Every structure is written in structure tokens, then in C-alpha cells.
Amino acid sequence: MDTHDKHHHGGNRVEDFRLITGAGKYAADWNVPGQLFGHFVRSDRAHAQIVALNTEQALKHPGVTHVFTGADAVSAGYTKAPHALTFPGRNGMQARAPARPVLAHGKVRFVGEALALVVATSAAAAQSAAELVEVDYRDLPCVVDPEGALAPGAPQLHDDVPGNLAFETEAGDAQAVAAAFANAAHVTRLKVESTRVAPSPMEPRACLVTYDAARDEYRFNVCMQGVTTLRKMMSSYTKVPEDKLKFEARDVGGGFGQRTPAYPEYCALMIAAKAAGRPVKWISTRVDGFLTDNHGRNNIISGELALDRDGKFLAMRMDWVNDMGAYLAPGAMGHIRNTTTCMTGVYRIPALYATYRVPLTNTTPVGAYRGAGRPDIAYAVERLVNQAAAELGIDAAELRRRNFIPPEAFPYKTATGSVYEIADLPGLLAKALKLGDWQGFAARRAKSAAAGKLRGIGISTVIENTGAGNAPVDEIELQLDASGTITVYTVSKAQGHGHETTLATIVADALGVPQEQVKVVQCAPDTRLQGNHTGGSRTTVGAGSVCYLAAQKLIEQGKALAALELKLEPSQINYAKGEFRSSESPRTVKLAELAKAKTLSLTAEGKFGSTFPNGCHIAEVEVDPETGAAQIVDYCAVDDCGNVINHAIVEGQLHGGVVQGAGQVFGEHVVYDRESGQPLAASFMDYYMPRAGLLPSLRVEEHATPSKVSPLGVKGVGESGCTASLPVLVNAVIDALRPLGIQHLDMPLTPSKLWHAIQAAKCVAGD
Ligand code: MCN
């Protein structure tokens, strides 16, 4: 097998040697001569007026050069955080986006909100001096629970957001749904919570800002998911033109959506770097991360499913409460748009209707987190379907099969107006049932019961939108130099995904050259390329597809140049494996020769719509009734992400996504004290993280239906594991407990919660 084949079948990732030998360069690894260090003073109150802020003592501390406060943020005009709820809501409602000065001014609204930035010649001096900033607060009543925030008489966070309601909207057809419910033979109702979690990438947030006075330009070394979205949002927050903002990152240690947006700290560092005339660097602590990196999920969903006598789905209705925390972060859009797009799940449901309310609470803002609404809607739908199956006494797999959108119905327009491209759901299910030995479960359950364990099996069949994106087009630049090296420039940014491997594979395959000849450069600081950031599992569909188009363009241009060289017409030239040749000439022209005079450079572009990866996951759990501990004993995943570029990377993506979902199912949860608004799990001492032992080896199979949206036939996969794992694992646990009469539990399914539920059920049963 040559190297080219090796990569094709899923060989090592080219970035791994650097990353696992400690040779990576992360945001905190950047240093420039003369840099200063920043430390943020953060609110220890959930809701309070800032009566007085005294920086005098801090300024006297040795090494301290400046202290910036909310007044500086306001005078710089850095007060309007960007958000993405720019479409009209119910009755034409415009989102009520409250002001958010990059350092709090007048009031603080969540624990951790930055209200001053201390700058000093060392990080230690800045941190010590921050202790000397005196803040006089007047406490205000707070509200941390989203439904409570919408209730009459709740404490009000912002004068311009009456009732704490930032946005309200609806989707689908209320009347059609009401009519269908009126005729239903059976209605299943379930209210579930997709809990608030802290995404917690490995690399803590860090940023170094350098201001170039001569050019009036800012340069950022920062952990990011791509340059274009961040630049746009930073420009929107600060009104500094986009071409005056330059970003550079080499390695990024995880993002999960949380490294996409413009954070207030970065803007405050701009104020500092400009005023100090020296670069200013800030590295967050893990506690800063828990308090101020955008949280994920946090949706309360009340669902109703109407069925006819044969178990066919007639209609579905949902009511969403999408808590956004203290300010409107850009993530709110995903929680509404993606959940509307995928509302029907994988089922043919003729009528759909959803309402959405977006409250603000005295908590950390909420943003996009691996799936950005897609796992939430999948969770709500797949829990409902399992509940309906139990209520009607129909096998959970059979009920799904009865209601699948059939293969011949694709492209399928859903009742909320999205168009699913292509899928083979019955084929997917059949493969998963076989892989998970669905039929043989009863015997395994009996065996577990003999050992005193409650065994359950769960299933989820899910679909999600990937691709598309806000950028006008995705662009890729290719440069070919005299050595034959092809450099691929992109504005997307891997955070651990292996794009240096997969994008290079796409170009190398298209050109028929060894992959070693192709280098990938992500987010060059002076890039003028357009394109989407890495998010929404769209890099392969977008940037990846354009890599292919760029390679084709290079071949076409190469044919014209080779024709000149060989004194022939371009139509007489053929290309294969790095060489141009013609039956009309004994001579050949190598790819590298095209660049012998000067580097050849070209840009290709493409615009792609949504593609819809889908999957069927089956998991089994064993619950120990004595301790409440749940153990995943088997996990099978059959996924359709279209054609696969690198099988090992796709399997790795699924593995990571499934474990991330399992973390949320079994323990991750950001909780606030209702009275004080203090976070109760803001360090790894008290916030659960999934560990290797949580999941047995994943058994993975592919079931590809190639996408036509992408010339490569690919669909995204980066979020698929998360989307399917939330419902499958909760369904498995509920299945284990259902014989005791337990129908519903919300995440996280901790041993304590399960033990208490089991005890309560035993009492009811008179045990
Ligand atoms: N891939 C492939 N064949 C396909 C589809 C994808 O070989 N048919 C490969 C890709 O080329 C890429 C990886 O799988 O190397 C993921 O590709 P894709 O599905 O296009 O998703 P993105 O690259 O756009 O990644 C974004 C997605 C999201 S939205 C989150 S959140 C997430 C995720 O990916 N965050 C991650 N996976 C992550 N993985 C790591 N290690 N770290 C994160 O922060």
C-alpha cells in the first residue's frame, strides 16, 4: 500500500506527531517582546449594582501600569455584543439585545462577569493587584432558573428587556397540528431538559493583543475556530474595521463551538494594548473558563406526539424555553434554527408546530456547543418516540420503522420547511439492529437480572443538518512551488479534527500525488480569503469540497501551461499522477515544472447547502439497584456521513462525540444556587467529566448515501456522536428502570438520582 492509499484508508494524522510530543503551539505559548499581562477582576455576585469601584491601591502595586474599568469600555464604545437573532420573531418581534460593555458598567449580572482589567509587567503582579481593586456592591435579587425568569414578578435583569424575554418566535403550522391532535387515537406527552453544561475544551482561553499604532491595527494570538466569524463579531463589538483586525493561531486545543465568538475579554485587551502602547497577554484559569466561557445546551422542551391507531405519527407540538444566560450570546440562533430544521427527526410527520421563548437569567451566557440545538431536538424527539412505544406496547425499533421517511421520499421537505437531502433509514436501522443484536436482548437482560442488575437497551435514530454557513462563499487558495509542493490556504481552523490530514488528502487524491507533497495552512494572519469557520460540521462539506474544486482548477490551468510548453492545444493534454502528457508528444511536463519561473497561485470557491448525516445508535446499560450506578455495557453506532475521507478520523469524531454526550447523560451539569446565584460546580473538583472507563469500545459501521450537495459526496460528522448519544443512553437507562414503573428522569443520571428513583419506585410498589 503506498502512502497515498494509507491515508485514504485512515492512516495516521500528519499533525499527531507534533501534538503528542508537546511540540504544539497554543494561544498561551505566544510571547512578544515587551508584553504586559492582564488579569480580570470578576464579579462574585449574581446580580448587583456597582456602587463604587476603587482602583487606587491596585494602581500603586509594584509592576502595575494600568487598571481599566467599565467606564473605559463605555468611552471606547465597546458596549453592544453581537448576537445572531436578526430574523423577526412572533408578530414581527425584534430580539431585545441588552447592552453588554466589555467590562461591566453600573451593574453585574452573573458571577464571573469581568468588571476591571489590571495590567502589569508580570502575570503574578496583575493577579495580586486585582485583589486590591475595591468594589462596593448593592445586591439585587437574582433569578437563575429560566422558567422562573419568565414568571410574573421575577427580578428584572435589563431595563430594556421587559419580563426578561429577549425573543419569542414560532415555527410550523399551529392549526394543522391542533386539527391532527383532535383526531389522534393516542397522545404522548413528555417534558425534558437538555441540561446546562460547560464545554471545557482542554486548552483554557487565552489571548495576546498587539496594537500597531502606525497602522492602527490589532493583532491577536488567540484560540479560535476560524478567522472570519470571529473577525466579524470583534468588528461588530468594537466598530474597528475588519481589515484592522488580524488573527493568528497555530494549534487549538478543542473548541466545541465555544471558541467561535468574540468574548468581551478580547475587546478589553484591545483597549489595554492601545492605551499601554505595549502588547497585553491574558491566560484564563479553569475557573475563569467555568464562569465565563459560554455554556452549552440549557433548553427545556415540552413535547407532544399525536399517533393514530396503527402507531403512525400524525403531528408533533413543542414548547421551548431556551435560556441564554445574562446577555444574548450568538449561540441563541442555533437553538432555534437548527431545532426547527430537524424538528421532524427522521420521521414523516405531516404537521409540526413549535414555540420558542428566550429568557435571560443571572447566569453565564449560553452559546453553541457541539450540535448547537441538534442534539437537543434529537433528544426530545427520540425520548418522545420511546415513551410512545412503551405506552402503546410497540417495539421501539418497530415504531421507528413504521414512521421513517422512506428512501424514495428523498429529497424530503419537512413540515417546518427544510429539505432533507438523502438517506436510507430502513437500511441504517437493519444494520444497527444486527450489529447490536436487538433480537437477543431478552436473554442478556435475564442474565443481568440473575446477577442482580437491571439491564436496559436504548435506540436512537437521528438526523442533523451540516454544511451551509453564513459566509457568502467558501474559498481555498492553492500555491504550487518549484519543488512541487502544493500549499492549501483555508480560513477554517481545526481544533483537534485533523484537517491538516483530511484537506491534504482531498487535494492529493484529486491530483494523484503523494500526500506528503501537500501542506495545509489555516488562517494565515493576512488572509483575504472568505469562508466559514469550523463549526456546524461544515468544514468537509464546504472547505473540503472547494479543495477538490481547486485541485481541478489547477489541473485545467496546468493543461493550458503544459500546452504552451509542448506547443499543443490544451485539449490535447491529459493529466495523471503529477504529470501532463499528450499522445502528440514524447515529452511530458511535471506539475512542479509549471512553477519553475514563479509560484503558481489560484483561488477556487464554492457555495454549498445543507447535507444531512444520519445515524442509528444502540446502547445497553446495566444499573446496579443497590448503588444506582449505571454502566454502559455495549454501544453500537451506524452512521451515514456520505463518502468518508478518512475512516480513522471519522471514527475518532464519533467516539469523541459519543463520550461528550455520555458525559452530559451521566454527570456533567452546571448548577446554580437558586438564592444566591452562585455556581455550585465550577471546577473539576465538583464538575463531572467523562473518563475513558465510561464507555466500552465503540462498535462502528458506516452506511453511506453519498451527498449530491458536495462534489465529494461527503456529509459532516463532527457533531453526529453527540446528537445520537444523548437519547440512546437515556433511553437505555429508562428501559432498565421501566419495569419498576419509572417513566422519566432528566439528565444527569447520577448514581444518586437513580438510587433515589429506584427507592421511591420500590416504596410505591410496596417493596
Ligand atoms: N471527515 C471525513 N469524512 C467525512 C466527514 C468528515 O473524513 N465524510 C473528517 C473531516 O475531514 C474532519 C473531521 O472528520 O477531519 C470532522 O469533519 P466535519 O464533520 O466536516 O466537521 P468540522 O471539521 O467542521 O468540525 C466541526 C465539528 C463541530 S461543529 C464541533 S463542535 C466539534 C467537532 O467537529 N468540535 C471538536 N469535533 C471536534 N473534534 C475535536 N477534536 N475538537 C473539537 O473541538
Side-chain angles (χ1 to χ4, degrees):
M1 192 193 292
D2 67 15
T3 11
H4 170 201
D5 277 339
K6 189 179 85 193
H7 285 292
H8 207 110
H9 292 100
N12 290 342
R13 308 189 318 167
V14 295
E15 46 276 86
D16 283 348
F17 186 75
R18 180 177 84 242
L19 296 176
I20 63 175
T21 56
K25 186 169 185 174
Y26 296 89
D29 294 328
W30 293 85
N31 291 296
V32 287
Q35 71 193 13
L36 297 169
F37 297 83
H39 189 96
F40 288 95
V41 178
R42 300 192 177 279
S43 169
D44 58 7
R45 316 294 162 106
H47 198 194
Q49 244 156 10
I50 305 170
V51 180
L53 185 62
N54 187 341
T55 60
E56 232 169 77
Q57 293 305 316
L59 276 164
K60 285 186 191 150
H61 188 281
V64 170
T65 61
H66 298 78
V67 180
F68 301 93
T69 66
D72 300 296
V74 169
S75 68
Y78 293 6
T79 55
K80 270 283 182 193
H83 69 92
L85 287 179
T86 48
F87 53 93
R90 194 178 238 173
N91 303 323
M93 180 188 190
Q94 294 297 313
R96 299 164 180 156
R100 186 183 185 186
V102 297
L103 295 167
H105 190 60
K107 247 183 166 193
V108 287
R109 296 184 179 84
F110 69 96
V111 173
E113 186 168 8
L115 53 117
L117 169 60
V118 179
V119 178
T121 48
S122 74
Q127 185 176 357
S128 314
E131 304 276 317
L132 303 174
V133 173
E134 291 163 19
V135 191
D136 194 1
Y137 294 106
R138 182 176 306 125
D139 282 315
L140 297 167
C142 70
V143 58
V144 297
D145 124 65
E147 289 177 321
L150 294 173
Q156 297 293 295
L157 270 77
H158 303 273
D159 294 341
D160 49 359
V161 185
N164 299 318
L165 183 67
F167 194 59
E168 191 172 11
T169 190
E170 62 190 334
D173 186 336
Q175 278 182 358
V177 166
F181 271 84
N183 291 320
H186 183 83
V187 173
T188 292
R189 296 188 173 84
L190 198 61
K191 181 175 178 184
V192 297
E193 192 176 340
S194 181
T195 37
R196 178 189 280 257
V197 290
S200 309
M202 263 196 283
E203 181 189 9
R205 203 145 56 84
C207 184
L208 165 66
V209 178
T210 308
Y211 176 67
D212 179 338
R215 295 177 169 188
D216 193 20
E217 237 174 54
Y218 298 84
R219 194 182 191 90
F220 302 78
N221 293 104
V222 62
C223 30
M224 62 177 178
Q225 296 186 208
V227 66
T228 45
T229 308
L230 179 59
R231 188 171 59 201
K232 201 181 269 310
M233 287 194 207
M234 289 291 291
S235 172
S236 154
Y237 213 148
T238 61
K239 312 290 177 297
V240 174
E242 284 193 53
D243 64 349
K244 298 290 181 192
L245 302 171
K246 309 277 161 154
F247 297 85
E248 184 166 23
R250 206 174 109 192
D251 295 308
V252 180
F256 311 118
Q258 203 193 44
R259 297 292 182 254
T260 301
Y263 282 95
E265 285 89 354
Y266 307 159
C267 307
L269 292 170
M270 289 168 67
I271 297 176
K274 186 172 184 177
R278 287 166 72 176
V280 185
K281 177 171 174 172
W282 164 71
I283 306 173
S284 72
T285 62
R286 188 52 75 177
V287 173
D288 284 334
F290 274 106
L291 298 182
T292 70
D293 290 7
N294 288 342
H295 289 165
R297 313 264 188 260
N298 207 13
N299 296 301
I300 299 171
I301 312 144
S302 307
E304 294 173 287
L305 180 64
L307 301 97
D308 74 8
R309 225 165 296 283
D310 305 320
K312 283 259 190 208
F313 302 161
L314 301 173
M316 192 165 61
R317 183 157 46 205
M318 282 185 174
D319 174 58
W320 292 74
V321 177
N322 314 92
D323 184 6
M324 278 296 123
Y327 301 94
L328 206 52
M333 189 185 68
H335 285 187
I336 294 174
R337 279 281 159 92
N338 293 331
T339 56
T340 302
T341 300
C342 300
M343 184 171 171
T344 205
V346 290
Y347 310 109
R348 202 200 299 248
I349 310 181
L352 301 171
Y353 179 64
T355 50
Y356 298 86
R357 284 170 296 159
V358 178
L360 301 182
T361 55
N362 292 111
T363 59
T364 299
V366 175
Y369 171 54
R370 204 164 193 173
R374 301 165 184 89
D376 312 67
I377 182 67
Y379 179 63
V381 172
E382 291 299 293
R383 288 285 317 274
L384 260 179
V385 171
N386 256 41
Q387 181 65 25
E391 286 172 3
L392 296 173
I394 302 175
D395 174 78
E398 170 55 25
L399 184 62
R400 284 172 169 81
R401 189 177 13 234
R402 250 179 236 182
N403 286 284
F404 278 155
I405 302 162
E408 62 278 10
F410 289 92
Y412 175 78
K413 186 157 193 230
T414 77
T416 42
S418 48
V419 180
Y420 288 174
E421 194 201 357
I422 184 170
D424 168 26
L425 300 164
L428 187 81
L429 178 72
K431 214 180 237 186
L433 294 179
K434 189 153 173 262
L435 186 65
D437 186 23
W438 184 261
Q439 294 303 336
F441 175 70
R444 294 191 294 279
R445 171 174 263 180
K447 211 168 160 198
S448 296
K453 301 278 173 57
L454 300 163
R455 193 174 183 119
I457 191 164
I459 181 168
S460 68
T461 47
V462 304
I463 192 161
E464 59 191 356
N465 50 316
T466 65
N470 291 327
V473 288
D474 278 303
E475 287 182 331
I476 292 287
E477 185 182 347
L478 284 193
Q479 285 186 5
L480 169 69
D481 71 18
S483 73
T485 300
I486 299 135
T487 309
V488 181
Y489 292 89
T490 175
V491 290
S492 58
K493 185 83 193 81
Q495 311 120 54
H497 305 74
H499 293 166
E500 285 171 60
T501 303
T502 47
L503 298 186
T505 301
I506 293 167
V507 173
D509 277 7
L511 294 174
V513 300
Q515 186 162 324
E516 287 68 22
Q517 226 168 299
V518 185
K519 303 268 169 286
V520 175
V521 176
Q522 307 170 68
C523 300
D526 291 310
T527 184
R528 291 179 181 281
L529 296 175
Q530 302 189 66
N532 287 296
H533 70 275
T534 290
S537 301
R538 64 173 67 90
T539 309
T540 316
V541 175
S545 299
V546 184
C547 282
Y548 172 80
L549 298 177
Q552 298 300 329
K553 199 167 170 180
L554 180 61
I555 293 171
E556 286 316 303
Q557 290 191 2
K559 281 183 181 171
L561 293 169
L564 285 177
E565 191 86 15
L566 302 178
K567 303 197 172 37
L568 294 168
E569 289 300 312
S571 60
Q572 294 172 296
I573 310 287
N574 296 312
Y575 173 83
K577 296 191 172 172
E579 238 172 28
F580 297 90
R581 57 175 76 235
S582 169
S583 53
E584 310 297 314
S585 168
R587 279 185 56 206
T588 63
V589 178
K590 285 202 161 36
L591 203 51
E593 288 174 59
L594 302 178
K596 67 178 183 244
K598 74 174 175 48
T599 299
L600 197 78
S601 164
L602 63 86
T603 301
E605 62 170 58
K607 173 91 186 152
F608 307 93
S610 290
T611 66
F612 291 83
N614 49 89
C616 178
H617 290 203
I618 292 179
E620 286 182 33
V621 298
E622 261 186 355
V623 178
D624 183 342
E626 300 301 320
T627 63
Q631 179 87 33
I632 306 170
V633 288
D634 192 22
Y635 197 112
C636 306
V638 180
D639 281 270
D640 169 9
C641 63
N643 293 336
V644 168
I645 308 298
N646 184 309
H647 297 277
I649 288 181
V650 162
E651 191 169 337
Q653 285 293 316
L654 284 167
H655 212 135
V658 166
V659 173
Q660 228 157 346
Q664 182 173 359
V665 169
F666 290 109
E668 290 190 55
H669 197 195
V670 175
V671 189
Y672 290 90
D673 179 68
R674 291 172 78 94
E675 287 292 304
S676 65
Q678 291 293 327
L680 300 178
S683 82
F684 287 135
M685 294 294 285
D686 35 34
Y687 185 86
Y688 172 97
M689 282 299 269
R691 308 224 168 125
L694 182 64
L695 197 72
S697 277
L698 265 190
R699 300 195 288 132
V700 176
E701 276 187 24
E702 292 166 6
H703 190 72
T705 60
S707 162
K708 294 183 188 72
V709 166
S710 152
L712 293 168
V714 294
K715 307 174 187 178
V717 74
E719 295 155 301
S720 306
C722 251
T723 303
S725 65
L726 294 185
V728 75
L729 290 169
V730 177
N731 281 341
V733 174
I734 300 290
D735 185 60
L737 303 183
R738 221 186 277 278
L740 305 179
I742 296 166
Q743 303 287 333
H744 168 61
L745 289 172
D746 267 319
M747 297 181 285
L749 302 176
T750 57
S752 153
K753 188 183 280 177
L754 296 187
W755 187 84
H756 279 104
I758 292 166
Q759 296 310 311
K762 278 184 181 164
C763 288
V764 172
D767 187 13

